[in-house]
PDB file of all heavy atoms in Angstrom:
ATOM      1  N   TRP A 642      54.726  85.745-128.224  1.00  0.00           N
ATOM      2  CA  TRP A 642      54.837  86.342-126.938  1.00  0.00           C
ATOM      3  C   TRP A 642      56.255  86.220-126.514  1.00  0.00           C
ATOM      4  O   TRP A 642      56.825  85.135-126.561  1.00  0.00           O
ATOM      5  CB  TRP A 642      53.895  85.627-125.905  1.00  0.00           C
ATOM      6  CG  TRP A 642      52.495  85.921-126.129  1.00  0.00           C
ATOM      7  CD1 TRP A 642      51.568  85.152-126.698  1.00  0.00           C
ATOM      8  CD2 TRP A 642      51.851  87.077-125.706  1.00  0.00           C
ATOM      9  NE1 TRP A 642      50.315  85.766-126.755  1.00  0.00           N
ATOM     10  CE2 TRP A 642      50.446  86.954-126.099  1.00  0.00           C
ATOM     11  CE3 TRP A 642      52.193  88.311-125.033  1.00  0.00           C
ATOM     12  CZ2 TRP A 642      49.545  87.988-125.868  1.00  0.00           C
ATOM     13  CZ3 TRP A 642      51.313  89.248-124.877  1.00  0.00           C
ATOM     14  CH2 TRP A 642      49.925  89.119-125.252  1.00  0.00           C
ATOM     15  N   VAL A 643      56.865  87.333-126.042  1.00  0.00           N
ATOM     16  CA  VAL A 643      58.261  87.385-125.692  1.00  0.00           C
ATOM     17  C   VAL A 643      58.412  87.747-124.174  1.00  0.00           C
ATOM     18  O   VAL A 643      57.744  88.731-123.816  1.00  0.00           O
ATOM     19  CB  VAL A 643      59.080  88.392-126.544  1.00  0.00           C
ATOM     20  CG1 VAL A 643      60.578  88.463-126.121  1.00  0.00           C
ATOM     21  CG2 VAL A 643      58.979  88.052-128.030  1.00  0.00           C
ATOM     22  N   PHE A 644      59.191  87.022-123.406  1.00  0.00           N
ATOM     23  CA  PHE A 644      59.393  87.286-121.981  1.00  0.00           C
ATOM     24  C   PHE A 644      60.772  87.768-121.915  1.00  0.00           C
ATOM     25  O   PHE A 644      61.776  87.165-122.251  1.00  0.00           O
ATOM     26  CB  PHE A 644      59.201  86.055-121.139  1.00  0.00           C
ATOM     27  CG  PHE A 644      59.371  86.210-119.635  1.00  0.00           C
ATOM     28  CD1 PHE A 644      58.224  86.814-118.998  1.00  0.00           C
ATOM     29  CD2 PHE A 644      60.531  86.026-118.979  1.00  0.00           C
ATOM     30  CE1 PHE A 644      58.333  87.093-117.670  1.00  0.00           C
ATOM     31  CE2 PHE A 644      60.605  86.260-117.686  1.00  0.00           C
ATOM     32  CZ  PHE A 644      59.512  86.816-116.952  1.00  0.00           C
ATOM     33  N   GLN A 645      60.903  89.090-121.416  1.00  0.00           N
ATOM     34  CA  GLN A 645      62.197  89.732-121.375  1.00  0.00           C
ATOM     35  C   GLN A 645      62.175  90.742-120.189  1.00  0.00           C
ATOM     36  O   GLN A 645      61.286  91.537-120.029  1.00  0.00           O
ATOM     37  CB  GLN A 645      62.477  90.470-122.673  1.00  0.00           C
ATOM     38  CG  GLN A 645      63.765  91.248-122.693  1.00  0.00           C
ATOM     39  CD  GLN A 645      64.026  92.050-123.996  1.00  0.00           C
ATOM     40  OE1 GLN A 645      63.030  92.276-124.816  1.00  0.00           O
ATOM     41  NE2 GLN A 645      65.177  92.382-124.305  1.00  0.00           N
ATOM     42  N   ASN A 646      63.190  90.630-119.362  1.00  0.00           N
ATOM     43  CA  ASN A 646      63.430  91.466-118.148  1.00  0.00           C
ATOM     44  C   ASN A 646      62.113  91.550-117.271  1.00  0.00           C
ATOM     45  O   ASN A 646      61.739  92.564-116.801  1.00  0.00           O
ATOM     46  CB  ASN A 646      63.720  92.886-118.651  1.00  0.00           C
ATOM     47  CG  ASN A 646      65.018  92.997-119.261  1.00  0.00           C
ATOM     48  OD1 ASN A 646      65.936  92.175-119.053  1.00  0.00           O
ATOM     49  ND2 ASN A 646      65.125  93.937-120.230  1.00  0.00           N
ATOM     50  N   GLY A 647      61.495  90.322-117.129  1.00  0.00           N
ATOM     51  CA  GLY A 647      60.337  90.303-116.225  1.00  0.00           C
ATOM     52  C   GLY A 647      59.022  90.780-116.807  1.00  0.00           C
ATOM     53  O   GLY A 647      57.938  90.874-116.147  1.00  0.00           O
ATOM     54  N   VAL A 648      58.990  91.100-118.124  1.00  0.00           N
ATOM     55  CA  VAL A 648      57.819  91.610-118.825  1.00  0.00           C
ATOM     56  C   VAL A 648      57.527  90.691-120.014  1.00  0.00           C
ATOM     57  O   VAL A 648      58.436  90.243-120.728  1.00  0.00           O
ATOM     58  CB  VAL A 648      58.143  93.056-119.382  1.00  0.00           C
ATOM     59  CG1 VAL A 648      56.984  93.560-120.167  1.00  0.00           C
ATOM     60  CG2 VAL A 648      58.452  93.992-118.181  1.00  0.00           C
ATOM     61  N   ILE A 649      56.318  90.363-120.110  1.00  0.00           N
ATOM     62  CA  ILE A 649      55.862  89.567-121.269  1.00  0.00           C
ATOM     63  C   ILE A 649      55.086  90.480-122.242  1.00  0.00           C
ATOM     64  O   ILE A 649      54.338  91.343-121.815  1.00  0.00           O
ATOM     65  CB  ILE A 649      54.917  88.321-120.943  1.00  0.00           C
ATOM     66  CG1 ILE A 649      54.750  87.417-122.085  1.00  0.00           C
ATOM     67  CG2 ILE A 649      53.714  88.741-120.318  1.00  0.00           C
ATOM     68  CD1 ILE A 649      54.293  86.046-121.694  1.00  0.00           C
ATOM     69  N   ARG A 650      55.395  90.420-123.500  1.00  0.00           N
ATOM     70  CA  ARG A 650      54.713  91.277-124.490  1.00  0.00           C
ATOM     71  C   ARG A 650      54.542  90.518-125.775  1.00  0.00           C
ATOM     72  O   ARG A 650      55.193  89.416-125.960  1.00  0.00           O
ATOM     73  CB  ARG A 650      55.612  92.491-124.689  1.00  0.00           C
ATOM     74  CG  ARG A 650      56.920  92.174-125.470  1.00  0.00           C
ATOM     75  CD  ARG A 650      57.622  93.463-125.702  1.00  0.00           C
ATOM     76  NE  ARG A 650      58.906  93.199-126.290  1.00  0.00           N
ATOM     77  CZ  ARG A 650      59.164  92.996-127.674  1.00  0.00           C
ATOM     78  NH1 ARG A 650      58.091  93.059-128.476  1.00  0.00           N
ATOM     79  NH2 ARG A 650      60.263  92.748-128.075  1.00  0.00           N
ATOM     80  N   LEU A 651      53.674  90.941-126.701  1.00  0.00           N
ATOM     81  CA  LEU A 651      53.481  90.345-127.898  1.00  0.00           C
ATOM     82  C   LEU A 651      54.366  91.085-128.953  1.00  0.00           C
ATOM     83  O   LEU A 651      54.228  92.187-129.250  1.00  0.00           O
ATOM     84  CB  LEU A 651      52.037  90.444-128.324  1.00  0.00           C
ATOM     85  CG  LEU A 651      51.637  89.875-129.708  1.00  0.00           C
ATOM     86  CD1 LEU A 651      51.710  88.382-129.688  1.00  0.00           C
ATOM     87  CD2 LEU A 651      50.220  90.165-130.077  1.00  0.00           C
ATOM     88  N   ALA A 652      55.218  90.324-129.578  1.00  0.00           N
ATOM     89  CA  ALA A 652      56.111  90.798-130.626  1.00  0.00           C
ATOM     90  C   ALA A 652      55.374  90.542-131.934  1.00  0.00           C
ATOM     91  O   ALA A 652      55.240  89.429-132.383  1.00  0.00           O
ATOM     92  CB  ALA A 652      57.445  90.110-130.586  1.00  0.00           C
ATOM     93  N   GLU A 653      54.820  91.676-132.494  1.00  0.00           N
ATOM     94  CA  GLU A 653      53.995  91.545-133.576  1.00  0.00           C
ATOM     95  C   GLU A 653      54.640  91.063-134.881  1.00  0.00           C
ATOM     96  O   GLU A 653      54.146  90.355-135.684  1.00  0.00           O
ATOM     97  CB  GLU A 653      53.261  92.834-133.887  1.00  0.00           C
ATOM     98  CG  GLU A 653      52.294  93.162-132.661  1.00  0.00           C
ATOM     99  CD  GLU A 653      51.994  94.666-132.604  1.00  0.00           C
ATOM    100  OE1 GLU A 653      52.031  95.312-133.631  1.00  0.00           O
ATOM    101  OE2 GLU A 653      51.743  95.053-131.394  1.00  0.00           O
ATOM    102  N   ASN A 654      55.888  91.610-135.050  1.00  0.00           N
ATOM    103  CA  ASN A 654      56.786  91.262-136.120  1.00  0.00           C
ATOM    104  C   ASN A 654      58.200  91.802-135.775  1.00  0.00           C
ATOM    105  O   ASN A 654      58.371  92.623-134.996  1.00  0.00           O
ATOM    106  CB  ASN A 654      56.171  91.868-137.451  1.00  0.00           C
ATOM    107  CG  ASN A 654      56.075  93.272-137.404  1.00  0.00           C
ATOM    108  OD1 ASN A 654      56.881  94.027-136.879  1.00  0.00           O
ATOM    109  ND2 ASN A 654      55.027  93.768-138.096  1.00  0.00           N
ATOM    110  N   PRO A 655      59.141  91.262-136.492  1.00  0.00           N
ATOM    111  CA  PRO A 655      60.564  91.727-136.249  1.00  0.00           C
ATOM    112  C   PRO A 655      60.639  93.183-136.445  1.00  0.00           C
ATOM    113  O   PRO A 655      60.128  93.735-137.386  1.00  0.00           O
ATOM    114  CB  PRO A 655      61.373  90.960-137.269  1.00  0.00           C
ATOM    115  CG  PRO A 655      60.540  89.767-137.613  1.00  0.00           C
ATOM    116  CD  PRO A 655      59.100  90.180-137.535  1.00  0.00           C
ATOM    117  N   GLY A 656      61.259  93.857-135.479  1.00  0.00           N
ATOM    118  CA  GLY A 656      61.501  95.271-135.599  1.00  0.00           C
ATOM    119  C   GLY A 656      60.293  96.111-135.143  1.00  0.00           C
ATOM    120  O   GLY A 656      60.222  97.257-135.289  1.00  0.00           O
ATOM    121  N   ALA A 657      59.268  95.493-134.492  1.00  0.00           N
ATOM    122  CA  ALA A 657      58.121  96.182-134.105  1.00  0.00           C
ATOM    123  C   ALA A 657      58.425  96.877-132.714  1.00  0.00           C
ATOM    124  O   ALA A 657      59.510  97.275-132.512  1.00  0.00           O
ATOM    125  CB  ALA A 657      56.955  95.268-133.932  1.00  0.00           C
ATOM    126  N   ASP A 658      57.396  97.022-131.879  1.00  0.00           N
ATOM    127  CA  ASP A 658      57.495  97.705-130.597  1.00  0.00           C
ATOM    128  C   ASP A 658      58.710  97.094-129.735  1.00  0.00           C
ATOM    129  O   ASP A 658      58.759  95.838-129.692  1.00  0.00           O
ATOM    130  CB  ASP A 658      56.268  97.582-129.812  1.00  0.00           C
ATOM    131  CG  ASP A 658      55.166  98.527-130.265  1.00  0.00           C
ATOM    132  OD1 ASP A 658      55.446  99.295-131.156  1.00  0.00           O
ATOM    133  OD2 ASP A 658      54.139  98.461-129.748  1.00  0.00           O
ATOM    134  N   SER A 659      59.449  97.872-129.116  1.00  0.00           N
ATOM    135  CA  SER A 659      60.398  97.388-128.154  1.00  0.00           C
ATOM    136  C   SER A 659      59.734  97.276-126.779  1.00  0.00           C
ATOM    137  O   SER A 659      58.545  97.652-126.685  1.00  0.00           O
ATOM    138  CB  SER A 659      61.604  98.254-128.051  1.00  0.00           C
ATOM    139  OG  SER A 659      61.225  99.514-127.583  1.00  0.00           O
ATOM    140  N   VAL A 660      60.347  96.799-125.785  1.00  0.00           N
ATOM    141  CA  VAL A 660      59.668  96.636-124.444  1.00  0.00           C
ATOM    142  C   VAL A 660      59.133  97.895-123.962  1.00  0.00           C
ATOM    143  O   VAL A 660      58.063  98.005-123.345  1.00  0.00           O
ATOM    144  CB  VAL A 660      60.608  95.981-123.456  1.00  0.00           C
ATOM    145  CG1 VAL A 660      60.111  96.047-122.051  1.00  0.00           C
ATOM    146  CG2 VAL A 660      60.992  94.530-123.861  1.00  0.00           C
ATOM    147  N   ASP A 661      59.849  99.032-124.219  1.00  0.00           N
ATOM    148  CA  ASP A 661      59.435 100.302-123.713  1.00  0.00           C
ATOM    149  C   ASP A 661      58.358 101.047-124.660  1.00  0.00           C
ATOM    150  O   ASP A 661      57.946 102.072-124.378  1.00  0.00           O
ATOM    151  CB  ASP A 661      60.613 101.285-123.509  1.00  0.00           C
ATOM    152  CG  ASP A 661      61.279 101.661-124.876  1.00  0.00           C
ATOM    153  OD1 ASP A 661      60.873 101.203-125.913  1.00  0.00           O
ATOM    154  OD2 ASP A 661      62.165 102.433-124.837  1.00  0.00           O
ATOM    155  N   GLY A 662      57.948 100.349-125.733  1.00  0.00           N
ATOM    156  CA  GLY A 662      56.877 100.818-126.537  1.00  0.00           C
ATOM    157  C   GLY A 662      57.319 101.723-127.712  1.00  0.00           C
ATOM    158  O   GLY A 662      56.580 102.195-128.480  1.00  0.00           O
ATOM    159  N   SER A 663      58.692 101.952-127.771  1.00  0.00           N
ATOM    160  CA  SER A 663      59.156 102.836-128.874  1.00  0.00           C
ATOM    161  C   SER A 663      59.154 101.997-130.191  1.00  0.00           C
ATOM    162  O   SER A 663      59.236 100.741-130.243  1.00  0.00           O
ATOM    163  CB  SER A 663      60.580 103.241-128.529  1.00  0.00           C
ATOM    164  OG  SER A 663      61.472 102.138-128.433  1.00  0.00           O
ATOM    165  N   ARG A 664      59.097 102.680-131.242  1.00  0.00           N
ATOM    166  CA  ARG A 664      59.054 102.028-132.566  1.00  0.00           C
ATOM    167  C   ARG A 664      60.466 101.824-133.220  1.00  0.00           C
ATOM    168  O   ARG A 664      61.283 102.737-133.041  1.00  0.00           O
ATOM    169  CB  ARG A 664      58.225 102.796-133.578  1.00  0.00           C
ATOM    170  CG  ARG A 664      56.737 102.889-133.123  1.00  0.00           C
ATOM    171  CD  ARG A 664      56.159 101.558-133.506  1.00  0.00           C
ATOM    172  NE  ARG A 664      54.707 101.549-133.056  1.00  0.00           N
ATOM    173  CZ  ARG A 664      53.949 100.678-133.408  1.00  0.00           C
ATOM    174  NH1 ARG A 664      54.205  99.685-134.149  1.00  0.00           N
ATOM    175  NH2 ARG A 664      52.646 100.624-132.984  1.00  0.00           N
ATOM    176  N   GLN A 665      60.628 100.770-133.818  1.00  0.00           N
ATOM    177  CA  GLN A 665      61.886 100.524-134.618  1.00  0.00           C
ATOM    178  C   GLN A 665      61.495 100.059-135.953  1.00  0.00           C
ATOM    179  O   GLN A 665      60.490  99.455-136.225  1.00  0.00           O
ATOM    180  CB  GLN A 665      62.676  99.409-133.911  1.00  0.00           C
ATOM    181  CG  GLN A 665      63.097  99.665-132.452  1.00  0.00           C
ATOM    182  CD  GLN A 665      63.646  98.469-131.787  1.00  0.00           C
ATOM    183  OE1 GLN A 665      63.569  97.280-132.249  1.00  0.00           O
ATOM    184  NE2 GLN A 665      64.072  98.629-130.528  1.00  0.00           N
ATOM    185  N   GLY A 666      62.302 100.329-136.940  1.00  0.00           N
ATOM    186  CA  GLY A 666      62.099 100.006-138.323  1.00  0.00           C
ATOM    187  C   GLY A 666      61.216 101.011-139.059  1.00  0.00           C
ATOM    188  O   GLY A 666      60.639 101.902-138.373  1.00  0.00           O
ATOM    189  N   SER A 667      60.980 100.970-140.298  1.00  0.00           N
ATOM    190  CA  SER A 667      60.329 102.038-141.043  1.00  0.00           C
ATOM    191  C   SER A 667      58.949 101.487-141.727  1.00  0.00           C
ATOM    192  O   SER A 667      58.213 102.313-142.145  1.00  0.00           O
ATOM    193  CB  SER A 667      61.226 102.594-142.138  1.00  0.00           C
ATOM    194  OG  SER A 667      61.632 101.496-142.930  1.00  0.00           O
TER     195      SER A 667
END
Side-chain angles (χ1 to χ4, degrees):
W642 288 103
V643 178
F644 186 78
Q645 180 180 16
N646 298 329
V648 176
I649 192 162
R650 67 178 179 84
L651 181 65
E653 298 158 24
N654 57 39
D658 287 356
S659 66
V660 172
D661 66 359
S663 62
R664 293 286 177 165
Q665 301 169 351
S667 59

